[in-house]
């Protein structure tokens, strides 16, 4: 919407948003991930609750709807919707997110070094470039010289520590699964709070940036789950932990520090 208030230069878009998921991927990957679903041999997971089968990413998302609702109900997201979120809370979350993404860049590096399969290595390399570019720009705009000088809150630090553990102790594909909740959750949240887009809501850019939904990472995971030997229950444990970390990170943004 052209009439919306322009974003501050400090509103650098996070690589965890929808569009950034393919920005630095090779064009062959982008074409593949954006193409309509083709008939391919995709791993299916039995859904005992609903009956039938689901692709892995869909099954993981549907298993975490209660957590998605918790995220929607947080003061941070409701403040984004109303436009009344305390700017201090937004800034605090954003600076922590910058450090989180800085850390995640190195975790992707760990997964990249461990992985020997060329397709997965190339995909991860694209994610590394996206995260590295974001953190460089974010640090510049928010005058962050050394991320070690930022004291992350408990929720953000725990989230970061969890992903480091996945990168270090699990196959590389599981780190992508740990990153999947963000891609699926943020788009869904934007859809739920879309009525908050208006001329006076200073956070309309956050909603707009995340609207449209995305299946890029989900498609990659679905297309390669079987060939990389992903175990659904292991994936579910990692996914749900990461989803809860998203909830707690959002929740922590509007909790007063005593």
């Amino acid at each position: 919407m052209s009439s919306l208030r322009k974003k501050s230069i400090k509103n650098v878009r996070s690589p965890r948003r929808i569009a950034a998921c393919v920005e630095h991927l090779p064009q062959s990957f982008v074409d593949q991930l954006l193409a309509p679903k083709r008939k391919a041999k995709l791993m299916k997971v039995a859904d005992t609750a609903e009956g039938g089968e689901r692709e892995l990413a869909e099954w993981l998302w549907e298993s975490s709807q209660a957590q998605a609702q918790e995220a929607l109900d947080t003061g941070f997201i409701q403040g984004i919707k109303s436009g009344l979120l305390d700017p201090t809370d937004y800034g605090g979350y954003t600076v922590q997110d910058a450090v989180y993404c800085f850390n995640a860049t190195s975790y992707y590096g760990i997964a990249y070094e461990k992985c020997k399969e060329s397709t997965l290595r190339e995909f991860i390399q694209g994610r590394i470039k996206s995260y590295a570019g974001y953190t460089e720009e974010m640090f510049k705009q928010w005058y962050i010289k050394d991320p070690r000088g930022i004291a992350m809150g408990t929720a953000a630090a725990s989230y970061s520590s969890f992903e480091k553990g996945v990168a270090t102790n699990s196959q590389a594909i599981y780190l992508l699964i740990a990153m999947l909740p963000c891609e699926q959750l943020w788009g869904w949240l934007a859809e739920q709070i879309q009525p908050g887009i208006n001329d006076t809501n200073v956070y309309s850019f956050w909603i707009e940036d995340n609207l449209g939904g995305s299946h890029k990472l989900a498609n990659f995971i679905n297309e390669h789950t079987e060939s990389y030997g992903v175990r659904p229950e292991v994936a579910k444990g990692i996914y749900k932990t990461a989803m809860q970390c998203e909830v707690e990170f959002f929740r922590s943004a509007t909790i007063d520090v005593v």
Side-chain angles (χ1 to χ4, degrees):
M1 296 175 65
S2 58
S3 61
L4 288 176
R5 184 177 301 182
K6 291 184 178 181
K7 295 181 287 185
S8 161
I9 59 171
K10 291 185 173 57
N11 294 322
V12 182
R13 294 182 294 175
S14 170
R16 304 204 291 145
R17 77 189 195 281
I18 297 303
C21 295
V22 295
E23 281 180 351
H24 295 278
L25 292 178
Q27 188 59 45
S28 59
F29 271 112
V30 176
D31 294 340
Q32 176 184 352
L33 297 175
L34 295 181
K37 285 189 176 180
R38 61 184 184 279
K39 294 182 180 179
K41 185 179 180 182
L42 301 177
M43 180 175 178
K44 301 285 186 175
V45 181
D47 190 330
T48 56
E50 298 291 335
E53 295 179 323
R54 299 283 191 276
E55 292 178 7
L56 181 64
E58 179 186 7
W59 178 70
L60 293 172
W61 168 249
E62 291 179 354
S63 73
S64 304
Q65 289 304 290
Q67 292 169 300
Q69 185 62 47
E70 287 182 42
L72 178 61
D73 292 338
T74 59
F76 184 85
I77 295 300
Q78 290 303 308
I80 291 286
K81 178 181 179 180
S82 67
L84 299 177
L85 178 66
D86 188 326
T88 301
D89 292 336
Y90 178 79
Y93 179 93
T94 303
V95 169
Q96 289 184 83
D97 189 54
V99 179
Y100 163 91
C101 290
F102 174 82
N103 293 339
T105 306
S106 66
Y107 305 156
Y108 272 124
I110 293 171
Y112 179 83
E113 292 301 324
K114 289 174 57 177
C115 179
K116 304 304 179 185
E117 200 279 321
S118 59
T119 300
L120 183 54
R121 282 174 63 88
E122 193 171 5
F123 188 88
I124 292 173
Q125 189 174 47
R127 305 283 290 192
I128 291 172
K129 290 180 180 178
S130 178
Y131 274 65
Y134 165 73
T135 53
E136 180 181 1
E137 184 65 19
M138 194 66 172
F139 286 2
K140 182 188 303 181
Q141 299 296 349
W142 286 83
Y143 305 101
I144 300 172
K145 182 177 182 180
D146 187 345
R148 292 174 297 181
I150 305 297
M152 297 176 74
T154 301
S158 296
Y159 195 178
S160 189
S161 178
F162 165 71
E163 290 187 341
K164 181 179 182 180
V166 174
T168 302
N169 301 316
S170 303
Q171 294 171 254
I173 187 66
Y174 287 112
L175 181 61
L176 297 185
I177 291 170
M179 299 292 185
L180 181 60
C182 170
E183 179 179 301
Q184 294 178 312
L185 178 63
W186 286 30
W188 180 82
L189 290 172
E191 290 175 0
Q192 306 310 302
I193 64 175
Q194 185 174 5
I197 297 178
N198 58 59
D199 291 343
T200 60
N201 188 337
V202 296
Y203 299 111
S204 291
F205 68 88
W206 191 97
I207 304 172
E208 287 194 313
D209 279 353
N210 289 287
L211 277 175
S214 175
H215 305 285
K216 288 102 176 166
L217 181 56
N219 284 350
F220 183 87
I221 290 171
N222 286 337
E223 297 244 357
H224 297 88
T225 294
E226 187 169 9
S227 61
Y228 296 148
V230 172
R231 296 165 57 191
E233 288 301 326
V234 173
K236 184 177 182 180
I238 290 173
Y239 182 95
K240 289 181 74 68
T241 299
M243 179 68 84
Q244 191 61 41
C245 287
E246 286 284 339
V247 173
E248 298 302 332
F249 193 7
F250 281 134
R251 186 176 285 155
S252 71
T254 55
I255 296 177
D256 292 335
V257 178
V258 180

